[in-house]
Amino acid sequence: MLLQRSALARAAFGWSFLWTSTWDPVALRFGALPFIYGTLATTAIAIAIALPLGLGAAVCLAELMPRRLADPLTFLIELLVAVPSVIYGLVGVFVLVPAIRSVQQALEPVLGSIPLFAGPAYGVGLLTAGILLAVMVVPFIVSVSREVLLAVPQTQRDAALALGATRWETVRDVVVPYARSGILGSVFLALARALGETMAVTMVIGNRPEIAASLFAPAYTMAAVLANEFTEATDEVYLAALVEIALVLFAITLAVNALARLLIASVQRAPGAARP
């Protein structure tokens, strides 16, 4: 269906649709590069923040904290998955955006000459959306990784401790490597959620179809442009261009999932990997 409905856009723009940056509904000139960049950049920021935070929390809950404390905390963390994305968006607008604006104003005299931190202090932009996405996907990493770590046989820990390893060395060198395929699966689950998130990102990213080097610059994602402009697309070419963006997002999601399967399979085949 996506291929059929995007036929006009593919015929009009061809492969250049993927690497051109013009988005002009009046002149009927469309390019998806700003949306692809915004989607991948916000997802990369989110995973860079969520992975160490989520894995560290999972290790703490599974290996270091008493179960009487870890189980209630895990339950509370898992409840965050059920919060609607629009609630996250409102929290981002009223809490995160002013905080990022203040941080940017404080950094501007020191790091304002560096393109990565340059630009007006709007508060909305790539970094804001990435941090909000990180908060949204951390529960996936924590929940799945904790369950995988708890599934590691106790004999693995006992053997390492008997050889003289400390508790932290046991966790770092035995437990986490044994569970790496499951941890990798949790990361890709979080990645898939981040790629497709719409409402919360739309509220804090700024929705500007441009590519900028600054983390604080407004941007746009593929899901956000579909949510914002689909009902306004009155021209057939305009509508077909939006459907082609949906097709590109679908293709990226399929590619990420295929890569996840390949990586997990290679990890499971590695020497010393856990076997199902």
Side-chain angles (χ1 to χ4, degrees), residues 44-200:
I45 293 170
I47 294 299
I49 297 172
L51 177 56
L53 183 62
L55 183 56
V59 169
C60 182
L61 292 169
E63 300 294 329
L64 305 179
M65 293 185 65
R67 291 295 294 271
R68 64 179 182 276
L69 293 178
D71 289 342
L73 285 176
T74 303
F75 175 73
L76 292 176
I77 292 172
E78 290 173 349
L79 281 180
L80 295 175
V81 178
V83 177
S85 61
V86 68
I87 304 300
Y88 282 106
L90 288 173
V91 173
V93 169
F94 292 117
V95 178
L96 189 57
V97 169
I100 294 296
R101 187 185 300 124
S102 300
V103 169
Q104 186 179 1
Q105 290 171 346
L107 290 177
E108 186 174 2
V110 181
L111 302 175
S113 59
I114 301 176
L116 196 63
F117 303 101
Y122 295 124
V124 295
L126 281 174
L127 183 61
T128 308
I131 293 174
L132 189 62
L133 276 177
V135 174
M136 297 178 70
V137 302
V138 156
F140 291 93
I141 298 177
V142 173
S143 178
V144 177
S145 297
R146 178 177 181 265
E147 294 300 323
V148 172
L149 292 171
L150 289 175
V152 175
Q154 184 61 34
T155 54
Q156 298 289 326
R157 301 176 179 87
D158 295 340
L161 293 171
L163 291 173
T166 64
R167 190 172 184 182
W168 170 242
E169 288 172 340
T170 300
V171 172
R172 183 190 62 193
D173 299 329
V174 176
V175 177
V176 172
Y178 192 93
R180 60 184 179 267
S181 61
I183 294 171
L184 190 61
S186 73
V187 172
F188 278 99
L189 181 65
L191 181 61
R193 169 70 187 271
L195 282 172
E197 180 52 45
T198 305
M199 202 62 223

Side-chain angles (χ1 to χ4, degrees), residues 5-9 13 28 30 233-243:
R5 294 297 180 90
S6 63
L8 285 177
F13 310 113
L28 297 180
F30 301 103
T234 55
D235 188 89
E236 291 185 356
V237 176
Y238 187 8
L239 182 61
L242 290 172
V243 175

